Amino acid sequence: MATPQFEAESETQPAIDSDSDTGESSSNVQPPRKRARTDGRAAPRGVRDEKYYFADGSCVLLVEETLFNVHKTMLSRDSSSFAAMFDLPQGEGPMEGTSDESPIVLCGDSVEEFRNFLWAMYALPAELMIVHTAHADLSKLIDIARVSNKYSFKSLETWALDAIQEYMHRPETPPVPLALRNPLEPLYFAPAFKPGSGRISSLLRLAHLCNHAKLLGTMVALLKRLMVGSLPYAYLAMCLADELNIRELRGTAYLEVMQKTEVIARDHVEIPIITTPDDRGGEEDEDSPEITLAPDGRLVVSFLQKHRLRCGYHGLSQAWEHMRLHPPQFDHTSSCGATWHQHGCTQSWMEFWKEKSRSEGVLALRPADVMGRLRAIAKEFDKWGSATYMHHDCRLSAKRLIQEKLKQVEEALPDYFSEEE
């Protein structure tokens, strides 16, 4: 395709006209203007990309103000959205995508995102192997996955997401000694990925958008670890769980916020104080959003979030009280029934539960901290030693029962933090 010519010669009149009689400048001087095109063609709609405007390209795309000329055969791969568009019947007038003056306009993409997407599409196998090395570019992989998802390049999307998943679990090279590690950082962080890098939210949203179960599980597990020692991360996890409706994250996030602070609805605050959540001195980013504190120090949340927290507190408190008054029941083992007095075995368990559920260590925790109280009881059970009236095999069953109750409460946490009382 011939390169369109831009004509920018100025008009023939001088920039300043002088009065022939007085020599003074005229007051109505006209600025230089571009000469109008006379070839009947419209002006190009953007600037050609330096790398992905191929001379033999067959489809011109406009992203922001940049023109890409690529091959229809490449865009039609993998039953993409482009393939379906190319099959549509053409109407009258200039066919879109055939020239710089009539490109296919792509909205919602940035030039850098689309350029990274084209890199993955045109890269040679040896070039693609970089994603498996320490030089992998996480930002580029995120762009590739997002654009591939948007235009239904499923194979390329899966490749990029799998590469991100591998990146997240890649060990550090060389490994950092344990004594020099930040205790707040999970051990599997890649060298280029740290908390506060501005990618946790992006990766969680991307994994949810693309329904990539492994990456979603990785990001949920990462947030669960980070929120334990940080109210900002707990608040971030709570907001993301609400935004994306992620059940496995919502219960844990709401519980962490409930245990760490008191809250107030946003509509009830007149003079909020904005504080930065990251107390480690890092720069603010999307993973460390500002949290709003009321003058009395309470965390400012939405009305719905406050309502859910209140429902969770009352529901968990009632669940613990019922559990305290009605000790969990276990089935006696066959060996207990043959060689032991089952009534004495049961009585021993009931007395243990009644005593330990009212112990100082348990009562020091909040009534709604059911999981914390169950863990405290489990520790007491390990220290209980031999019980005169409880069979050994039944003791093992009772220990497993406590762990099962812990798991049941954890799985049911999202139900407690719901809109219903």
Side-chain angles (χ1 to χ4, degrees):
M1 181 183 296
T3 303
Q5 301 295 318
F6 288 86
E7 300 184 43
E9 296 86 350
S10 60
E11 298 287 355
T12 55
Q13 71 270 17
I16 299 178
D17 295 327
S18 298
D19 190 286
S20 57
D21 296 330
T22 62
E24 296 179 357
S25 299
S26 172
S27 59
N28 53 353
V29 176
Q30 297 296 324
R33 295 180 299 170
K34 290 184 179 180
R35 188 183 300 274
R37 296 185 68 101
T38 59
D39 56 7
R41 292 182 297 164
R45 299 193 45 187
V47 179
R48 293 180 174 183
D49 186 74
E50 295 181 357
K51 185 173 183 180
Y52 295 107
Y53 193 100
F54 299 111
D56 61 345
S58 54
C59 184
V60 181
L61 306 170
L62 178 67
V63 179
E64 293 182 330
E65 299 298 325
T66 300
L67 291 166
F68 298 90
N69 191 12
V70 293
H71 303 88
K72 281 188 176 182
T73 53
M74 300 294 287
L75 293 176
S76 299
R77 286 178 171 182
D78 211 9
S79 301
S80 69
S81 301
F82 288 102
M85 181 185 66
F86 294 150
D87 289 339
L88 293 175
Q90 300 296 324
E92 299 179 358
M95 185 180 300
E96 290 186 348
T98 56
S99 68
D100 291 4
E101 295 78 22
S102 183
I104 296 174
V105 180
L106 302 182
C107 300
D109 304 315
S110 73
V111 173
E112 187 65 20
E113 286 175 343
F114 201 75
R115 191 178 287 126
N116 288 334
F117 164 74
L118 291 178
W119 170 83
M121 182 175 292
Y122 279 95
L124 297 174
E127 296 175 309
L128 295 175
M129 291 301 295
I130 194 173
V131 303
H132 303 295
T133 71
H135 301 290
D137 187 336
L138 181 60
S139 297
K140 178 179 286 190
L141 289 171
I142 292 174
D143 290 345
I144 294 168
R146 183 182 292 121
V147 177
S148 298
N149 173 268
K150 179 178 180 181
Y151 297 112
S152 301
F153 288 86
K154 191 61 182 178
S155 298
L156 192 56
E157 171 195 321
T158 302
W159 172 83
L161 292 170
D162 288 345
I164 293 172
Q165 171 72 1
E166 178 188 334
Y167 181 100
M168 294 298 297
H169 290 275
R170 187 176 302 138
E172 294 175 324
T173 307
V176 176
L178 290 176
L180 301 180
R181 284 185 179 275
N182 185 338
L184 297 178
E185 296 179 1
L187 295 179
Y188 60 76
F189 274 153
F193 189 87
K194 303 295 180 184
S197 65
R199 292 300 182 191
I200 294 178
S201 302
S202 296
L203 287 170
L204 185 67
R205 291 189 179 102
L206 180 64
H208 182 267
L209 172 68
C210 301
N211 196 27
H212 194 276
K214 288 185 178 180
L215 183 57
L216 183 62
T218 293
M219 300 314 300
V220 168
L222 174 57
L223 268 174
K224 284 183 176 180
R225 297 186 65 171
L226 290 173
M227 73 174 76
V228 172
S230 170
L231 174 60
Y233 279 117
Y235 176 72
L236 172 66
M238 184 176 73
C239 293
L240 287 172
D242 287 341
E243 173 192 338
L244 304 175
N245 193 26
I246 302 177
R247 175 181 171 83
E248 56 268 38
L249 183 60
R250 174 179 286 140
T252 307
Y254 270 87
L255 181 64
E256 287 294 332
V257 171
M258 184 185 72
Q259 292 177 336
K260 285 179 169 58
T261 186
E262 295 183 0
V263 302
I264 184 172
R266 187 171 291 114
D267 295 342
H268 298 163
V269 181
E270 296 182 358
I271 309 176
I273 300 175
I274 306 298
T275 63
T276 56
D278 193 346
D279 57 3
R280 291 169 290 174
E283 295 182 0
E284 297 177 26
D285 53 45
E286 65 171 289
D287 290 341
S288 296
E290 289 184 337
I291 56 176
T292 306
L293 300 180
D296 58 4
R298 288 182 290 177
L299 175 67
V300 179
V301 298
S302 70
F303 178 82
L304 180 58
Q305 288 172 332
K306 181 177 184 297
H307 178 65
R308 286 173 174 166
L309 288 166
R310 183 182 63 183
C311 291
Y313 183 87
H314 289 298
L316 287 168
S317 299
Q318 292 175 359
W320 168 253
E321 189 62 19
H322 182 272
M323 197 179 301
R324 183 185 69 82
L325 296 175
H326 303 85
Q329 300 296 317
F330 62 89
D331 294 329
H332 292 274
T333 61
S334 57
S335 55
C336 176
T339 63
W340 210 260
H341 193 288
Q342 290 190 1
H343 176 73
C345 186
T346 301
Q347 187 65 26
S348 183
W349 163 251
M350 299 283 282
E351 290 177 356
F352 164 82
W353 184 270
K354 181 178 179 180
E355 176 187 353
K356 299 306 180 182
S357 63
R358 300 292 297 176
S359 65
E360 292 184 3
V362 169
L363 294 179
L365 302 172
R366 292 185 175 185
D369 190 2
V370 180
M371 297 177 65
R373 291 188 169 196
L374 285 173
R375 292 190 185 100
I377 291 178
K379 291 181 180 179
E380 292 293 335
F381 192 84
D382 290 337
K383 295 186 294 184
W384 192 22
S386 60
T388 306
Y389 297 108
M390 194 168 188
H391 193 276
H392 172 73
D393 292 342
C394 288
R395 284 172 48 80
L396 295 178
S397 296
K399 183 176 181 178
R400 288 194 298 268
L401 180 63
I402 297 174
Q403 297 302 321
E404 289 172 2
K405 283 295 177 183
L406 261 169
K407 185 177 180 180
Q408 290 173 7
V409 173
E410 184 176 13
E411 292 177 348
L413 278 178
D415 299 327
Y416 288 103
F417 296 98
S418 63
E419 289 78 13
E420 299 180 2
E421 292 279 2

